[in-house]
Amino acid sequence: MKIKGWEKISGYTYKGYTIVNPIHNAEETRYEATILNLNLPQKPKWELNVLTPAHKFKGYDDTFSIIVRDDENRSTINSIDKVCMASISIFRQTFEEMIDKMLGMRLTSAGVTASSHSIHSGYTKTINPNKYGKLTVTGTGGGLLNTINTNANNIVWDPNTNLPSSMLVAIKDLQKQIDDLKLNHANNK
């Protein structure tokens, strides 16, 4: 069975996944296209295959099998009848549902390590002589605290004033500028 207008699906895009290069075999029992992921710079390729009821692997049913396979060899299969296959809008809707299903499979099978989403992978707690504690995160696994600790700025607190040292330096500089202005103002009278 022939699929009329197969070449017209080139350019269908859903969530950044675009169908390109639609072709078919000589007997017109197997139709193929490439799906490009335009969301990524390297544009990984997925496969779109449609087997007609006359294809040798189909057996005796009279449905079209639509197969989407990603770059990591995961796949989803949908079967639709001849009437639905003849409708471009139904084919497009089926294509979109299959992309959603593939994205769901990719999301649920993504690798997650125990330490990549934990608060910490290990820690050492050191109490300073003053009343402020210091937490040092250690371990090779990382975790959220390690990411925060690695990317954070260290601030030294003055235990006498309960202010960061850098703020104390800025306050002293401002006070000196104020005193200089008062002195200059008094001398100009």
Side-chain angles (χ1 to χ4, degrees), residues 13-152:
T13 303
Y14 179 67
K15 292 187 177 179
Y17 293 85
T18 301
I19 298 175
V20 295
N21 304 328
I23 59 172
H24 57 78
N25 65 0
E27 299 85 26
E28 296 187 40
T29 58
R30 179 184 174 112
Y31 291 77
E32 301 175 3
T34 301
I35 302 171
L36 294 179
N37 181 353
L38 301 179
N39 299 312
L40 298 174
Q42 65 271 26
K43 315 248 182 307
K45 296 179 181 179
W46 292 6
E47 299 173 12
L48 171 66
N49 296 298
V50 178
L51 304 179
T52 67
H55 193 273
K56 60 185 174 185
F57 296 136
K58 283 291 293 166
Y60 295 102
D61 67 355
D62 58 347
T63 62
F64 289 79
S65 295
I66 304 171
I67 305 158
V68 173
R69 186 177 323 279
D70 73 1
D71 55 332
E72 295 176 1
N73 214 23
R74 285 183 286 260
S75 63
T76 182
I77 301 172
N78 226 343
S79 294
I80 60 175
D81 61 22
K82 184 179 180 178
V83 174
C84 291
M85 192 64 194
S87 168
I88 296 289
S89 62
I90 293 176
F91 175 80
R92 185 178 188 124
Q93 180 182 351
T94 303
F95 169 72
E96 291 173 0
E97 290 170 357
M98 294 177 81
I99 292 294
D100 285 337
K101 187 172 182 182
M102 288 298 292
L103 292 174
M105 287 192 306
R106 291 174 67 90
L107 184 62
T108 56
S109 64
V112 175
T113 62
S115 63
S116 67
H117 291 77
S118 66
I119 295 296
H120 54 74
S121 59
Y123 66 92
T124 304
K125 186 173 181 179
T126 307
I127 303 298
N128 292 341
N130 60 22
K131 57 184 172 183
Y132 306 102
K134 176 183 175 186
L135 179 66
T136 305
V137 179
T138 60
T140 57
L144 297 177
L145 285 180
N146 190 33
T147 303
I148 292 168
N149 194 31
T150 304
N151 296 325

